[in-house]
Coordinates of all heavy atoms in Angstrom, one line a residue:
M1 N 5.4 -1.3 24.9 CA 4.5 -0.3 24.2 C 3.3 -1.1 23.6 O 3.5 -2.2 23.1 CB 5.4 0.3 23.1 CG 4.7 1.5 22.5 SD 5.9 2.5 21.5 CE 6.2 1.3 20.1
S2 N 2.3 -0.6 23.8 CA 1.1 -1.2 23.2 C 0.0 0.0 22.9 O 0.1 1.0 23.3 CB 0.4 -2.2 24.2 OG 0.0 -1.6 25.3
A3 N -1.0 -0.5 22.0 CA -2.0 0.4 21.5 C -2.8 0.9 22.7 O -3.0 0.2 23.7 CB -2.8 -0.2 20.5
D4 N -3.3 2.2 22.6 CA -4.1 2.7 23.7 C -5.6 3.0 23.3 O -5.9 3.7 22.3 CB -3.5 4.2 24.0 CG -4.2 4.8 25.2 OD1 -5.3 4.4 25.6 OD2 -3.6 5.9 25.7
R5 N -6.4 2.2 23.9 CA -7.9 2.2 23.5 C -8.6 3.6 23.7 O -9.6 3.7 23.2 CB -8.5 0.9 24.2 CG -8.7 1.2 25.6 CD -9.1 0.0 26.4 NE -10.3 -0.6 26.1 CZ -11.0 -1.5 26.5 NH1 -10.3 -2.4 27.4 NH2 -12.3 -1.9 26.3
T6 N -8.0 4.5 24.6 CA -8.5 5.7 24.8 C -8.1 6.8 23.7 O -8.5 7.7 23.6 CB -8.1 6.3 26.2 OG1 -6.8 6.7 26.0 CG2 -8.5 5.2 27.2
Q7 N -7.2 6.2 22.9 CA -6.6 7.2 21.6 C -7.0 6.5 20.3 O -6.2 6.7 19.3 CB -5.1 7.2 21.7 CG -4.5 7.6 23.1 CD -4.9 9.2 23.2 OE1 -4.7 9.9 22.3 NE2 -5.3 9.6 24.5
K8 N -8.2 5.9 20.2 CA -8.5 5.3 18.9 C -8.8 6.4 17.9 O -9.3 7.4 18.1 CB -9.9 4.5 19.1 CG -9.8 3.2 19.9 CD -11.1 2.5 19.7 CE -11.2 1.5 20.9 NZ -12.6 0.9 20.9
I9 N -8.3 6.0 16.6 CA -8.8 6.8 15.5 C -10.3 6.6 15.2 O -10.9 5.5 15.4 CB -7.9 6.3 14.3 CG1 -6.6 6.8 14.4 CG2 -8.7 6.6 12.8 CD1 -5.5 6.1 13.4
V10 N -10.9 7.7 15.0 CA -12.4 7.7 15.0 C -13.0 6.9 14.0 O -14.2 6.3 14.2 CB -12.9 9.1 14.8 CG1 -12.7 10.0 16.1 CG2 -12.5 9.8 13.5
E11 N -12.3 6.6 12.9 CA -13.0 5.7 11.8 C -13.0 4.2 12.2 O -13.8 3.6 11.6 CB -12.3 5.9 10.5 CG -12.5 7.2 9.8 CD -11.2 8.2 9.9 OE1 -10.8 8.2 11.0 OE2 -11.1 8.8 8.9
N12 N -12.3 3.8 13.1 CA -12.4 2.4 13.5 C -13.8 1.9 13.7 O -14.6 2.7 14.5 CB -11.6 2.1 14.7 CG -10.2 2.3 14.8 OD1 -9.5 1.5 14.0 ND2 -9.6 3.0 15.5
V13 N -14.2 0.8 13.2 CA -15.5 0.2 13.5 C -15.4 -0.3 15.0 O -14.2 -0.6 15.5 CB -16.1 -1.0 12.6 CG1 -16.2 -0.5 11.2 CG2 -15.0 -2.0 12.6
P14 N -16.5 -0.3 15.8 CA -16.4 -0.7 17.2 C -16.0 -2.2 17.2 O -16.3 -3.0 16.2 CB -17.9 -0.6 17.7 CG -18.5 0.3 16.7 CD -17.8 0.2 15.4
G15 N -15.2 -2.6 18.2 CA -15.1 -4.0 18.4 C -13.5 -4.2 18.9 O -12.9 -3.3 19.3
K16 N -13.1 -5.5 18.8 CA -11.9 -5.9 19.5 C -10.6 -5.2 18.9 O -9.9 -4.6 19.7 CB -11.8 -7.4 19.2 CG -10.6 -8.0 19.9 CD -10.6 -9.5 19.7 CE -9.4 -10.1 20.1 NZ -9.3 -11.6 19.8
Y17 N -10.5 -5.1 17.6 CA -9.3 -4.4 17.0 C -9.5 -3.1 16.6 O -10.7 -2.6 16.3 CB -8.9 -5.3 15.7 CG -8.4 -6.6 16.0 CD1 -9.4 -7.7 16.0 CD2 -7.2 -7.0 16.3 CE1 -9.1 -9.0 16.2 CE2 -6.8 -8.3 16.7 CZ -7.7 -9.2 16.6 OH -7.3 -10.6 16.8
Y18 N -8.5 -2.3 16.9 CA -8.4 -0.8 16.6 C -7.1 -0.3 16.2 O -6.2 -1.0 16.6 CB -9.1 0.0 17.7 CG -8.2 -0.2 18.9 CD1 -7.4 0.9 19.3 CD2 -8.5 -1.2 19.7 CE1 -6.5 0.6 20.4 CE2 -7.8 -1.3 21.0 CZ -6.8 -0.4 21.4 OH -6.1 -0.7 22.4
V19 N -7.0 0.8 15.7 CA -5.8 1.5 15.4 C -5.7 2.8 16.3 O -6.9 3.3 16.3 CB -5.6 1.9 13.9 CG1 -4.2 2.6 13.7 CG2 -5.6 0.6 12.9
D20 N -4.8 3.1 16.9 CA -4.6 4.3 17.7 C -4.0 5.5 17.1 O -3.5 5.3 15.9 CB -4.3 4.0 19.1 CG -2.8 3.9 19.2 OD1 -2.1 4.2 18.3 OD2 -2.4 3.7 20.3
E21 N -3.9 6.6 17.6 CA -3.5 7.9 17.0 C -1.9 7.8 16.9 O -1.5 8.7 16.2 CB -4.0 9.1 17.8 CG -5.5 9.2 17.5 CD -6.1 10.4 18.2 OE1 -5.4 10.9 19.1 OE2 -7.2 10.7 18.1
S22 N -1.2 6.8 17.3 CA 0.1 6.9 17.2 C 0.6 6.2 15.8 O 1.8 6.3 15.4 CB 0.9 6.0 18.4 OG 0.5 4.6 18.3
C23 N -0.4 5.8 14.9 CA -0.2 5.3 13.7 C 0.6 6.3 12.9 O 0.2 7.6 12.8 CB -1.5 4.9 13.0 SG -1.2 4.5 11.2
I24 N 1.7 5.9 12.2 CA 2.4 6.8 11.3 C 2.2 6.6 9.9 O 2.8 7.1 8.9 CB 3.9 6.6 11.6 CG1 4.5 5.2 11.4 CG2 4.3 7.1 13.0 CD1 5.9 4.9 11.4
G25 N 1.1 5.7 9.5 CA 0.7 5.6 8.2 C 1.6 4.8 7.3 O 1.7 5.0 6.1
C26 N 2.4 3.9 7.9 CA 3.5 3.1 7.0 C 2.8 2.1 6.1 O 3.3 1.7 5.2 CB 4.4 2.4 8.0 SG 3.6 0.9 8.7
S27 N 1.5 1.7 6.4 CA 0.6 0.9 5.5 C 1.0 -0.5 5.4 O 0.4 -1.4 4.7 CB 0.7 1.5 4.0 OG 0.1 2.8 4.0
I28 N 2.0 -1.0 6.3 CA 2.3 -2.4 6.3 C 1.0 -3.3 6.7 O 0.8 -4.3 6.0 CB 3.5 -2.7 7.4 CG1 4.8 -2.0 6.9 CG2 3.7 -4.3 7.3 CD1 5.8 -2.0 7.9
C29 N 0.4 -2.7 7.6 CA -0.8 -3.5 8.1 C -1.9 -3.7 7.0 O -2.6 -4.7 7.0 CB -1.5 -2.8 9.3 SG -1.9 -1.1 8.9
V30 N -2.0 -2.7 6.1 CA -3.1 -2.8 4.9 C -2.7 -4.0 4.1 O -3.4 -4.7 3.5 CB -3.2 -1.4 4.3 CG1 -4.1 -1.8 3.1 CG2 -3.7 -0.4 5.2
E31 N -1.3 -4.2 3.8 CA -0.9 -5.3 2.9 C -1.2 -6.5 3.6 O -1.4 -7.5 2.9 CB 0.6 -5.0 2.7 CG 0.8 -4.0 1.6 CD 2.3 -3.7 1.5 OE1 3.1 -4.7 1.6 OE2 2.7 -2.5 1.3
I32 N -1.1 -6.6 5.0 CA -1.1 -7.9 5.7 C -2.7 -8.3 5.9 O -3.0 -9.4 5.8 CB -0.4 -7.8 7.1 CG1 1.1 -7.7 6.7 CG2 -0.6 -8.9 7.8 CD1 1.9 -7.6 7.8
A33 N -3.5 -7.3 6.2 CA -4.9 -7.5 6.6 C -5.7 -6.6 5.7 O -6.5 -5.8 6.2 CB -5.0 -7.3 8.0
P34 N -5.8 -6.8 4.3 CA -6.4 -5.9 3.5 C -8.1 -6.1 3.7 O -8.8 -5.1 3.2 CB -6.1 -6.3 2.0 CG -5.5 -7.7 2.3 CD -5.0 -7.8 3.7
D35 N -8.5 -7.2 4.2 CA -9.9 -7.3 4.4 C -10.5 -6.7 5.6 O -11.7 -6.6 5.8 CB -10.3 -8.8 4.5 CG -9.9 -9.6 3.2 OD1 -10.0 -9.0 2.1 OD2 -9.5 -10.7 3.4
N36 N -9.6 -6.1 6.4 CA -9.9 -5.4 7.6 C -9.5 -4.1 8.0 O -10.1 -3.4 8.7 CB -9.6 -6.5 8.9 CG -10.2 -7.7 8.8 OD1 -9.5 -8.7 8.2 ND2 -11.4 -8.0 9.1
I37 N -8.3 -3.8 7.4 CA -7.7 -2.5 7.6 C -7.6 -1.7 6.2 O -7.2 -2.3 5.3 CB -6.2 -2.7 8.2 CG1 -6.3 -3.6 9.5 CG2 -5.7 -1.3 8.6 CD1 -5.0 -3.9 10.1
R38 N -7.8 -0.4 6.3 CA -7.7 0.3 5.1 C -7.0 1.8 5.4 O -7.0 2.1 6.5 CB -8.9 0.6 4.3 CG -10.0 1.4 4.9 CD -11.1 1.7 3.9 NE -11.8 0.7 3.3 CZ -13.1 0.6 3.4 NH1 -13.9 1.5 4.0 NH2 -13.7 -0.5 2.9
S39 N -6.6 2.5 4.3 CA -5.9 3.7 4.6 C -6.9 4.7 4.5 O -7.7 4.8 3.6 CB -4.8 3.7 3.5 OG -3.9 2.8 3.7
N40 N -6.7 5.9 5.2 CA -7.1 7.2 5.1 C -6.0 8.0 4.5 O -5.2 8.5 5.3 CB -7.7 7.8 6.3 CG -8.3 9.2 6.1 OD1 -7.9 9.9 5.3 ND2 -9.2 9.6 6.9
L41 N -5.9 8.0 3.2 CA -4.7 8.6 2.5 C -4.7 10.1 2.8 O -3.7 10.7 2.9 CB -4.7 8.4 1.1 CG -4.5 6.8 0.7 CD1 -4.7 6.7 -0.8 CD2 -3.3 6.3 1.1
N42 N -5.8 10.8 2.9 CA -5.9 12.2 3.2 C -5.2 12.6 4.5 O -4.4 13.5 4.8 CB -7.2 12.8 3.1 CG -7.7 12.8 1.8 OD1 -7.0 12.9 0.8 ND2 -9.0 12.6 1.6
E43 N -5.5 11.7 5.6 CA -5.0 12.0 7.0 C -3.7 11.3 7.2 O -3.1 11.6 8.2 CB -6.1 11.5 8.0 CG -7.3 12.2 7.8 CD -7.4 13.6 8.1 OE1 -6.5 14.1 8.8 OE2 -8.3 14.4 7.6
G44 N -3.4 10.2 6.5 CA -2.1 9.6 6.7 C -2.1 8.6 7.8 O -1.1 8.4 8.4
Y45 N -3.2 7.9 8.0 CA -3.3 6.8 8.9 C -4.2 5.8 8.3 O -4.9 5.9 7.4 CB -3.6 7.3 10.3 CG -5.1 8.1 10.4 CD1 -6.2 7.5 10.1 CD2 -5.1 9.3 10.9 CE1 -7.4 8.1 10.1 CE2 -6.3 10.1 10.9 CZ -7.4 9.4 10.5 OH -8.6 10.1 10.6
E46 N -4.3 4.5 9.2 CA -5.0 3.5 8.8 C -6.0 3.3 9.9 O -5.8 3.7 11.0 CB -4.2 2.2 8.4 CG -2.9 2.4 8.2 CD -2.5 3.1 6.9 OE1 -2.4 2.5 5.9 OE2 -2.4 4.4 7.1
Y47 N -7.1 2.5 9.6 CA -8.1 2.2 10.6 C -8.8 0.8 10.3 O -8.7 0.4 9.2 CB -9.1 3.3 10.7 CG -9.9 3.4 9.3 CD1 -11.2 2.9 9.1 CD2 -9.3 4.3 8.4 CE1 -11.7 3.2 7.9 CE2 -10.0 4.5 7.1 CZ -11.2 3.9 7.0 OH -11.8 4.1 5.8
I48 N -9.4 0.2 11.3 CA -10.1 -1.0 11.0 C -11.4 -0.6 10.5 O -12.3 0.0 11.1 CB -10.4 -1.7 12.4 CG1 -9.1 -1.9 13.1 CG2 -11.1 -3.1 12.2 CD1 -8.1 -2.9 12.6
F49 N -11.7 -1.1 9.2 CA -13.1 -0.8 8.6 C -14.0 -2.0 8.8 O -15.2 -1.8 8.6 CB -12.9 -0.4 7.1 CG -12.5 -1.6 6.4 CD1 -13.5 -2.4 5.6 CD2 -11.1 -1.9 6.0 CE1 -13.2 -3.3 4.8 CE2 -10.8 -2.8 5.1 CZ -11.8 -3.6 4.5
K50 N -13.5 -3.1 9.2 CA -14.3 -4.3 9.4 C -13.5 -5.2 10.4 O -12.4 -5.5 10.2 CB -14.5 -5.1 8.2 CG -15.6 -6.2 8.3 CD -15.9 -6.9 6.9 CE -14.6 -7.7 6.4 NZ -14.6 -9.1 6.5
Q51 N -14.3 -5.6 11.5 CA -13.6 -6.5 12.4 C -13.5 -8.0 11.8 O -14.4 -8.2 10.9 CB -14.6 -6.7 13.7 CG -14.7 -5.4 14.6 CD -13.2 -5.0 15.2 OE1 -12.4 -5.9 15.4 NE2 -13.1 -3.7 15.4
P52 N -12.6 -8.7 12.1 CA -12.3 -10.0 11.5 C -13.6 -11.0 11.6 O -14.2 -11.0 12.8 CB -11.1 -10.6 12.1 CG -10.8 -9.7 13.3 CD -11.5 -8.5 13.1
E53 N -14.0 -11.7 10.7 CA -15.2 -12.5 10.7 C -14.9 -14.0 10.5 O -15.8 -14.7 10.4 CB -16.1 -12.0 9.5 CG -16.8 -10.7 9.8 CD -17.6 -10.1 8.5 OE1 -17.5 -10.7 7.6 OE2 -18.3 -9.1 8.9
N54 N -13.6 -14.3 10.4 CA -13.3 -15.7 10.2 C -11.8 -15.9 10.8 O -11.1 -14.8 11.0 CB -13.5 -16.3 8.8 CG -12.7 -15.4 7.9 OD1 -11.5 -15.2 8.0 ND2 -13.3 -15.0 6.7
E55 N -11.4 -17.1 10.8 CA -10.1 -17.3 11.4 C -8.9 -16.8 10.6 O -8.0 -16.2 11.1 CB -9.9 -18.9 11.4 CG -8.9 -19.3 12.5 CD -8.9 -20.9 12.5 OE1 -9.9 -21.5 12.5 OE2 -7.8 -21.3 12.7
S56 N -9.1 -16.8 9.2 CA -8.0 -16.2 8.4 C -7.9 -14.7 8.6 O -6.8 -14.2 8.6 CB -8.0 -16.7 7.0 OG -8.7 -15.7 6.1
E57 N -9.1 -14.1 8.7 CA -9.1 -12.5 8.8 C -8.4 -12.3 10.3 O -7.7 -11.3 10.5 CB -10.4 -12.0 8.7 CG -10.8 -12.0 7.2 CD -12.2 -11.3 7.1 OE1 -12.8 -10.8 8.0 OE2 -12.7 -11.3 6.0
E58 N -8.8 -13.1 11.3 CA -8.3 -12.8 12.6 C -6.7 -13.0 12.6 O -6.1 -12.2 13.2 CB -9.0 -13.8 13.6 CG -8.4 -13.7 15.1 CD -9.6 -13.1 16.0 OE1 -10.7 -13.5 15.8 OE2 -9.1 -12.3 16.8
K59 N -6.3 -14.0 11.9 CA -4.9 -14.2 11.9 C -4.1 -13.1 11.3 O -3.1 -12.7 11.7 CB -4.6 -15.6 11.0 CG -4.5 -16.9 11.9 CD -3.9 -18.0 11.0 CE -4.1 -19.3 11.8 NZ -4.2 -20.4 10.8
Q60 N -4.7 -12.6 10.2 CA -4.1 -11.5 9.6 C -4.1 -10.2 10.5 O -3.2 -9.5 10.5 CB -4.8 -11.1 8.3 CG -4.6 -12.2 7.2 CD -5.4 -12.0 5.9 OE1 -6.3 -11.1 5.9 NE2 -5.2 -12.7 4.9
C61 N -5.2 -10.1 11.2 CA -5.1 -8.8 12.2 C -4.1 -9.0 13.2 O -3.4 -8.1 13.6 CB -6.5 -8.7 12.7 SG -7.7 -8.0 11.7
I62 N -3.9 -10.3 13.6 CA -2.9 -10.5 14.7 C -1.5 -10.3 14.2 O -0.7 -9.7 14.8 CB -3.1 -11.9 15.3 CG1 -4.3 -12.1 16.0 CG2 -1.9 -12.3 16.1 CD1 -4.8 -13.5 16.4
E63 N -1.3 -10.7 12.9 CA 0.0 -10.6 12.3 C 0.2 -9.0 12.1 O 1.2 -8.5 12.3 CB 0.0 -11.3 11.0 CG 1.5 -11.4 10.4 CD 1.5 -12.0 9.1 OE1 0.6 -12.9 8.7 OE2 2.4 -11.9 8.2
A64 N -0.8 -8.3 11.7 CA -0.7 -6.9 11.5 C -0.2 -6.1 12.8 O 0.7 -5.3 12.9 CB -1.9 -6.2 10.9
M65 N -1.0 -6.5 13.9 CA -0.7 -6.0 15.1 C 0.7 -6.3 15.6 O 1.3 -5.4 16.0 CB -1.7 -6.7 16.2 CG -1.8 -6.1 17.5 SD -3.1 -6.8 18.4 CE -2.6 -8.5 18.5
E66 N 1.2 -7.5 15.3 CA 2.6 -7.9 15.7 C 3.6 -7.2 15.0 O 4.7 -6.8 15.5 CB 2.8 -9.3 15.7 CG 1.9 -10.0 16.9 CD 2.0 -11.5 16.7 OE1 2.4 -12.0 15.6 OE2 1.6 -12.2 17.7
I67 N 3.4 -6.8 13.7 CA 4.4 -6.2 12.8 C 4.4 -4.7 12.8 O 5.4 -4.2 12.5 CB 4.3 -6.7 11.3 CG1 5.6 -7.0 10.6 CG2 3.3 -5.9 10.5 CD1 5.6 -7.8 9.4
C68 N 3.3 -4.1 13.3 CA 3.2 -2.6 13.4 C 4.5 -2.0 14.0 O 4.6 -2.4 15.2 CB 2.1 -2.1 13.9 SG 1.9 -0.3 14.1
P69 N 5.3 -1.1 13.4 CA 6.4 -0.7 14.0 C 6.4 0.1 15.2 O 7.2 0.3 15.9 CB 7.1 0.0 12.9 CG 6.1 0.4 11.9 CD 5.1 -0.6 12.0
V70 N 5.1 0.8 15.3 CA 4.8 1.7 16.5 C 3.8 1.1 17.4 O 3.4 1.8 18.4 CB 4.5 3.2 16.1 CG1 5.7 3.7 15.3 CG2 3.3 3.1 15.1
S71 N 3.5 -0.2 17.3 CA 2.5 -0.8 18.2 C 1.2 0.0 18.2 O 0.6 0.3 19.3 CB 3.0 -1.1 19.5 OG 4.1 -2.0 19.4
A72 N 0.6 0.5 16.9 CA -0.5 1.3 17.0 C -1.9 0.4 16.8 O -3.0 1.0 17.0 CB -0.6 2.3 15.9
I73 N -1.7 -0.8 16.7 CA -2.9 -1.7 16.6 C -3.1 -2.5 17.9 O -2.2 -3.0 18.5 CB -2.8 -2.8 15.5 CG1 -2.4 -2.0 14.2 CG2 -4.0 -3.5 15.3 CD1 -2.0 -2.9 13.0
G74 N -4.3 -2.3 18.4 CA -4.7 -3.1 19.6 C -5.8 -4.1 19.4 O -6.6 -4.1 18.5
D75 N -5.9 -5.0 20.4 CA -7.0 -6.1 20.4 C -7.8 -6.1 21.6 O -8.3 -7.2 22.0 CB -6.2 -7.4 20.1 CG -5.5 -7.9 21.2 OD1 -5.2 -7.1 22.0 OD2 -5.1 -9.1 21.2
D76 N -7.9 -5.0 22.3 CA -8.5 -5.0 23.5 C -9.6 -3.9 23.5 O -10.1 -3.5 24.4 CB -7.6 -4.7 24.8 CG -7.0 -3.3 24.5 OD1 -7.0 -2.8 23.4 OD2 -6.4 -2.8 25.5
G77 N -10.1 -3.7 22.2 CA -11.0 -2.6 22.1 C -12.4 -2.9 22.2 O -13.3 -2.0 21.8
T78 N -12.9 -3.9 22.7 CA -14.3 -4.4 22.7 C -15.0 -3.3 23.6 O -14.6 -3.0 24.7 CB -14.5 -5.8 23.3 OG1 -13.8 -6.6 22.4 CG2 -16.0 -6.0 23.3
E79 N -16.0 -2.6 23.1 CA -16.8 -1.7 23.8 C -17.7 -2.3 24.9 O -18.3 -3.4 24.6 CB -17.6 -0.9 22.9 CG -17.0 -0.2 21.7 CD -16.0 0.9 22.1 OE1 -15.9 1.3 23.2 OE2 -15.1 1.2 21.3
R80 N -17.8 -1.8 26.0 CA -18.7 -2.2 27.0 C -20.1 -1.6 26.8 O -20.3 -0.4 27.0 CB -18.1 -2.1 28.3 CG -17.0 -3.0 28.8 CD -16.7 -2.9 30.2 NE -17.8 -3.3 31.1 CZ -17.8 -3.1 32.3 NH1 -16.8 -2.6 32.9 NH2 -18.8 -3.4 33.1
L81 N -21.1 -2.4 26.5 CA -22.3 -1.8 26.1 C -23.2 -1.4 27.3 O -24.1 -0.8 27.2 CB -23.1 -2.7 25.1 CG -22.4 -2.9 23.7 CD1 -23.2 -4.1 23.1 CD2 -22.1 -1.8 23.0
D82 N -22.7 -2.1 28.4 CA -23.6 -1.9 29.6 C -23.0 -0.8 30.4 O -23.4 -0.7 31.7 CB -23.5 -3.2 30.4 CG -22.1 -3.7 30.7 OD1 -21.2 -3.2 30.3 OD2 -22.1 -4.5 31.7
S83 N -22.1 -0.1 30.0 CA -21.5 1.1 30.8 C -21.7 2.4 30.2 O -22.0 2.4 29.1 CB -20.1 0.8 31.2 OG -19.4 0.8 30.0
Ligands
F3S1 FE1 -0.1 2.5 11.2 FE2 1.0 0.5 12.2 FE3 -0.5 0.1 10.2 S1 2.0 2.3 11.9 S2 -0.2 1.9 9.1 S3 -1.2 0.8 12.2 S4 1.4 -0.9 10.6

């Protein structure tokens, strides 16, 4: 099971990491990567508000991706600007 880049939550900023619509809002990822992931409490899901900008943020995003119970976080979301 892995995240689906065609099912991204709309609030994600463009780039490598994203949360998809299978997120159940457990919020574990926000605790692990608070500099990059935040909650939309009204909608009950989380999203990437900033792509990682340094090694420690990247590590936290990878850890969040690995720990997400429904594999809703993906790392293949780079947009192709030439297509
Ligand atoms: Fe959602 Fe997974 Fe985070 S379910 S809240 S993306 S840990």
Side-chain angles (χ1 to χ4, degrees):
M1 193 165 62
S2 61
D4 183 346
R5 64 196 290 183
T6 70
Q7 303 285 319
K8 287 184 195 176
I9 283 168
V10 290
E11 285 104 321
N12 290 298
V13 293
K16 182 175 176 184
Y17 292 94
Y18 60 93
V19 178
D20 80 9
E21 291 178 353
S22 66
C23 171
I24 55 171
C26 73
S27 299
I28 295 172
C29 56
V30 177
E31 286 173 35
I32 293 172
D35 297 328
N36 304 95
I37 306 175
R38 75 164 58 124
S39 302
N40 180 330
L41 293 174
N42 290 331
E43 300 292 339
Y45 55 61
E46 346 291 271
Y47 59 98
I48 306 290
F49 71 92
K50 186 177 71 102
Q51 294 293 335
E53 290 173 350
N54 56 51
E55 203 174 321
S56 99
E57 289 184 3
E58 178 114 37
K59 269 191 192 152
Q60 290 172 352
C61 285
I62 291 167
E63 195 181 333
M65 186 170 65
E66 288 172 348
I67 214 162
C68 175
V70 294
S71 301
I73 306 174
D75 69 349
D76 61 343
T78 305
E79 307 291 348
R80 288 193 55 192
L81 299 174
D82 59 344
S83 61

